[in-house]
Amino acid sequence: MATTATKTTAPAQEQQANGNGNGNGNGNGEQKTRHSEVGHKSLLKSDDLYQYILDTSVYPREPESMKELREITAKHPWNLMTTSADEGQFLNMLIKLIGAKKTMEIGVYTGYSLLATALALPEDGTILAMDINRENYELGLPCINKAGVGHKIDFREGPALPVLDDLVADKEQHGSFDFAFVDADKDNYLSYHERLLKLVRPGGLIGYDNTLWNGSVVLPDDAPMRKYIRFYRDFVLALNSALAADDRVEICQLPVGDGVTLCRRVK
């Protein structure tokens, strides 16, 4: 598979045909549809509980620019590629907690998580953003610019690995990033990891998205799965095993969205 840097998920048509992917239904065996909305990747067994989180803690605090971008993205045929609203809120808080100033995002789509990060950064903060599809990024760019944070983003269209290799070749870039967020091609996560460990400073964070991969990580190998789930599942499992054994980082895996693993560089 070609080296890419774009968010990875099921085609929207497949997701719609199979429900939201978390197996939730009501007591009559009917599939609930309230979370066919953009970015529903919750692993919670209760849709009502997830809706409670959104209505109580997420949507009331969601900046208007992020709400607008979320609603624009919802109309896109690949809308399930986006970061969920609760995960966007989490990333925004995380950036503020660690005092990040120089960050990186691999896999952008329409830029919901990018906007969440940009809003959290100081005025002189920067984000190096990489994706193979500029058209999707430009769909969300008006919202980003309206929020007054477009100047913080350096968008690079194309595969991420060559960009990372160029950065690694420049010794001055080593340890210069405070935070990196990866939500792209799962088959390259481990390749990204080795490069990011050189670029993110000791004490800095790397966040990997989709590390619970629709819950498939605990399914037996012969369990029925959608094609895209099965294709990337082994890569996600390999990543999780590698991170658990990597003494260069401290890790914390969280059931936010489709699973987020945070790695704090210690070596």
Side-chain angles (χ1 to χ4, degrees):
M1 178 173 249
T3 299
T4 60
T6 189
K7 292 183 182 290
T8 307
T9 191
Q13 297 91 336
E14 184 179 352
Q15 290 280 6
Q16 291 166 357
N18 291 279
N20 63 24
N22 63 4
N24 291 341
N26 62 22
N28 298 319
E30 298 173 350
Q31 186 69 40
K32 289 190 176 181
T33 58
R34 68 190 305 174
H35 287 308
S36 60
E37 65 185 77
V38 58
H40 175 48
K41 301 177 184 177
S42 175
L43 295 168
L44 290 174
K45 292 182 178 180
S46 167
D47 270 3
D48 290 334
L49 184 56
Y50 184 57
Q51 189 67 45
Y52 173 82
I53 293 171
L54 294 176
D55 290 343
T56 304
S57 301
V58 180
Y59 291 158
R61 296 295 189 99
E62 185 180 37
E64 188 61 32
S65 57
M66 291 183 65
K67 177 183 178 182
E68 183 179 353
L69 179 50
R70 176 168 55 82
E71 292 175 346
I72 290 172
T73 304
K75 300 174 184 177
H76 193 274
W78 304 338
N79 59 48
L80 283 172
M81 288 172 58
T82 193
T83 299
S84 60
D86 53 322
E87 187 175 350
Q89 184 185 60
F90 169 73
L91 291 173
N92 182 275
M93 176 74 78
L94 188 64
I95 292 296
K96 294 173 181 176
L97 286 173
I98 67 173
K101 185 174 181 180
K102 184 178 180 181
T103 70
M104 181 189 306
E105 183 161 326
I106 302 175
V108 172
Y109 186 42
T110 61
Y112 187 81
S113 56
L114 188 66
L115 179 54
T117 298
L119 287 169
L121 289 172
E123 184 63 21
D124 59 346
T126 61
I127 312 171
L128 174 61
M130 292 162 274
D131 199 290
I132 61 171
N133 192 319
R134 177 179 288 275
E135 183 178 349
N136 289 337
Y137 167 66
E138 290 181 346
L139 184 66
L141 191 54
C143 296
I144 292 171
N145 287 332
K146 186 186 296 186
V149 294
H151 65 284
K152 301 179 184 180
I153 300 168
D154 176 11
F155 180 82
R156 309 283 184 90
E157 183 180 23
L161 284 176
V163 178
L164 295 178
D165 285 338
D166 287 344
L167 291 171
V168 169
D170 182 357
K171 298 295 185 183
E172 292 186 0
Q173 295 293 337
H174 287 203
S176 66
F177 288 84
D178 302 304
F179 178 74
F181 183 61
V182 185
D183 183 6
D185 41 331
K186 314 310 170 196
D187 44 331
N188 275 315
Y189 268 29
L190 285 174
S191 296
Y192 295 146
H193 184 64
E194 290 305 315
R195 290 158 175 80
L196 291 174
L197 280 177
K198 294 182 175 67
L199 298 172
V200 172
R201 63 173 172 81
L205 292 179
I206 306 169
Y208 292 103
D209 202 17
N210 305 117
T211 58
L212 294 177
W213 201 228
N214 212 235
S216 67
V217 291
V218 297
L219 295 178
D221 292 339
D222 60 353
M225 303 177 205
R226 298 177 187 137
K227 290 181 180 179
Y228 87 102
I229 292 290
R230 185 175 298 281
F231 181 83
Y232 287 109
R233 175 175 174 267
D234 286 346
F235 295 111
V236 175
L237 288 170
L239 171 74
N240 291 339
S241 295
L243 294 181
D246 192 342
D247 65 0
R248 298 170 296 178
V249 294
E250 297 172 336
I251 67 171
C252 179
Q253 190 170 31
L254 301 167
V256 177
D258 193 26
V260 179
T261 299
L262 298 178
C263 300
R264 178 178 178 269
R265 182 187 168 191
V266 293
K267 293 184 180 180

